[in-house]
Amino acid sequence: MSQARDHHHGHRTNRQPTRRPDPASWAASLDQSRCGAYIAVVVTAVTTSLVALLVFLGDAGMSWLPLLAVGPALAAATCRPWGVLRIGILATGLGAVLGTQTGEPLHQLAVTLAALSAVTLASALASLLRGRRERVLAAVRSVAETAQNALLRPVPATVGPFQVAVRYSAAAAEARIGGDLYALVPTPYGVRLIVGDVRGKGLPAVGTTALVLGVFREAAYDEPDLLDVVERIERSLTRNLGPDDFVTAVVAGYPEPGRMEIVNCGHAPPLLVSGSTAVTAIEPTHPAPPLGLRSLVVRRPSLQVLPFADGDQLLLYTDGVTEARDCGRAFYPLAERVVRHACDEPSRTLAALHDDLLAHVGGRLHDDAALLLLRKPAAADPAAAPPMAAEAP
C-alpha cells in the first residue's frame, strides 16, 4: 500500500547546513540494485536448467531453446548493461552447446542463436536507457528537494512565544511539493503566518506558491497592519495570475500578548483549541474571496480578533485534510479527532492526527494536505521556551 510522501519538520534553526547524501538512502538503493541482480541471476539459472532438462528429455528438441532469452530480457529490468551482456552470452553459449549435442540442423541452430543474440543486444540497450532515465529522475528529484527547502522552509519547534509543529504530505508518492503552502516568520509586529492552497497542480502551482510565499515573507516584515500584508499579496497575484487562478489562504498574526488576528480569504476556518476539550471553528464574520479574485467583488477581507490565552492552540490546515474520504465516502472529522489527539506537544498532536488521517483514507491521500499547529505555553509550562529573536526574511 503506497503512502503519501510526508515531510515532518521538527526542531531546526533557520540556517540550514549544506545537505549531503543520506548514507542510509544510498545503502537502501544499493541493496535494491543487488537484490534485483540476484533475482535476475536466480531466474536465469532456473530457466536455463529447465530448458536444458526439456531439451534432453523432451521430444520437441530445439523448440525449447528460445526460452533461454528470458534471462537477458529479465536482466534488462534489474542489471546494468554489462550484466545483461554476460547473462546473454551465457544463454547463447548454452544454446549452442545444447543444439550441437542434440544434433539439430545447422541452419535452425543458427536462427535460434541469432535470435538469442538479438534479444541480448536489445536488452543491453534497454538497460542502458533505463540507467540514463534513472539518473535523470534522480537529478529531478534533487532539484525538487532543493525547491522544497527554498519554498517550504523548515519551521523551528519554537517561534516567538509559541510551540510550533508542521505536517505536510503531497498526494503524489514521489512528490516533494504540491499545491499547499505555509510559512511562519517572527517580525517586529509579532509572529505572522500563512497557510494556503493554490488552485491547480504541477509546475504552475509551484510557481504560484513561490510567488505567494515570497511576497508574504517580505510584506509580513514590512507592514505594520496585517490587512496590508494581505493587500500586498493580492496586488502581486492580480498582476501575475491568470483570470481563473486563485489562492485560498488564512493569514494570522500575534501582535501582542493575548491577541490573535486572522484574515481568511476563502480558506477553511482555523480551529481554536481551548484547554483539552473545547474546539471552535473560527468562521469569518465577513467572508472574502480567495486571493487573486478581489476584482470580482467589492468587499475587502475583514480582520478578526480573538483572545488567545496561555495553553490555547490554533490549528490551520488545507482542504486535503477535511475533504479526505474513507471507503464509505465519509469526510475526515478533523474537529472531532483534534479533541481526541490534542496534547501539550504540538509535534505529537500532529503526528497522531496525520497517522489517523492516513488510517481514515486507507493509507493514500488523494490531495495534498498541510497542518500547522501553534500552542501558547503557560509561563510555568516546562515546554515553554525563551522567545526566538526576530530575523529579517
Side-chain angles (χ1 to χ4, degrees), residues 91-114:
T92 304
L94 182 61
V97 172
L98 293 175
T100 301
Q101 290 184 355
T102 56
E104 297 299 329
L106 184 59
H107 70 279
Q108 186 176 354
L109 177 60
V111 171
T112 301
L113 296 181

Side-chain angles (χ1 to χ4, degrees), residues 230-313:
V230 176
E231 187 64 29
R232 286 266 294 269
I233 301 174
E234 175 67 32
R235 289 199 302 267
S236 181
L237 291 179
T238 301
R239 291 193 302 268
N240 293 281
L241 291 190
D244 297 327
D245 296 328
F246 59 86
V247 179
T248 67
V250 170
V251 182
Y254 189 75
E256 59 187 40
R259 174 188 171 94
M260 181 70 71
E261 298 178 344
I262 294 177
V263 180
N264 192 328
C265 299
H267 198 73
L271 298 180
L272 176 63
V273 184
S274 301
S276 59
T277 58
V279 176
T280 305
I282 310 302
E283 299 285 352
T285 53
H286 300 289
L291 296 168
L293 299 180
R294 181 79 56 81
S295 60
L296 302 180
V297 297
V298 178
R299 175 176 295 171
R300 297 184 56 189
S302 61
L303 183 71
Q304 290 180 263
V305 178
L306 60 143
F308 201 75
D310 290 350
D312 287 351
Q313 303 185 64

Side-chain angles (χ1 to χ4, degrees), residues 267-361:
H267 198 73
L271 298 180
L272 176 63
V273 184
S274 301
S276 59
T277 58
V279 176
T280 305
I282 310 302
E283 299 285 352
T285 53
H286 300 289
L291 296 168
L293 299 180
R294 181 79 56 81
S295 60
L296 302 180
V297 297
V298 178
R299 175 176 295 171
R300 297 184 56 189
S302 61
L303 183 71
Q304 290 180 263
V305 178
L306 60 143
F308 201 75
D310 290 350
D312 287 351
Q313 303 185 64
L314 186 68
L315 176 64
L316 294 91
Y317 54 92
T318 58
D319 58 9
V321 178
T322 53
E323 294 182 2
R325 297 172 182 260
D326 62 10
C327 57
R329 307 299 294 169
F331 291 112
Y332 181 69
L334 179 61
E336 173 188 327
R337 301 301 170 84
V338 169
V339 174
R340 179 183 303 177
H341 298 297
C343 67
D344 292 342
E345 296 183 20
S347 59
R348 286 176 51 196
T349 300
L350 290 196
L353 280 174
H354 182 265
D355 293 343
D356 193 39
L357 176 64
L358 288 180
H360 179 81
V361 299

Side-chain angles (χ1 to χ4, degrees), residues 25 35 48 54 57 62 67 110 123 126 159 165 180 187 202 233 239 262 267 272 294 359 391:
S25 176
C35 181
T48 301
L54 292 173
L57 300 181
M62 288 290 293
L67 287 179
S123 299
V159 178
D180 293 353
T187 75
I233 301 174
R239 291 193 302 268
I262 294 177
H267 198 73
L272 176 63
R294 181 79 56 81
E391 297 182 4

